Amino acid sequence: MTATDFDYIIVGAGSAGCVLANRLSANGKHRVLLLEAGPVDRYPWIHIPIGYAKTMFNPKYNWCFYTEPDPGMNNRKVYWPRGKVLGGSSAINGLIFIRGQPQDYER
């Protein structure tokens, strides 16, 4: 197969990439290629609450990024974990979620 065999190519199988691929292919009219650099999310610590301690610095499941030095923070860099696994950063967040405030959406 080549890139021309697909109508859409999505890079990153995180939450947004997976939803987008599903929506684009749901009607059966489009061929979608979903690419993910990391493995399938079979690592047990991904599925255990607070298991992020085992994924936060694991380069197999995490890109282990740092921000650029921030002048407003005395030029410090901040660790910026990003998921490198099916499910992306949502897969390595320790099964934690925060419900948005209704007022934020109503504005």
Side-chain angles (χ1 to χ4, degrees), residues 58-98:
N58 186 331
K60 183 173 181 179
Y61 304 100
N62 189 334
W63 289 102
C64 302
F65 289 146
Y66 282 84
T67 64
E68 291 295 314
D70 187 334
M73 294 177 34
N74 199 24
N75 287 320
R76 286 180 291 179
K77 295 180 180 182
V78 176
Y79 184 62
W80 200 267
R82 301 283 83 199
K84 183 172 60 170
V85 61
L86 186 63
S89 297
S90 295
I92 65 165
N93 73 357
L95 302 174
I96 296 169
F97 77 95
I98 298 172

Side-chain angles (χ1 to χ4, degrees), residues 8 10 19-32:
Y8 299 96
I10 299 169
V19 169
L20 184 58
N22 179 270
R23 296 262 175 103
L24 289 170
S25 63
N27 66 8
K29 294 180 183 177
H30 303 292
R31 291 184 54 130
V32 177

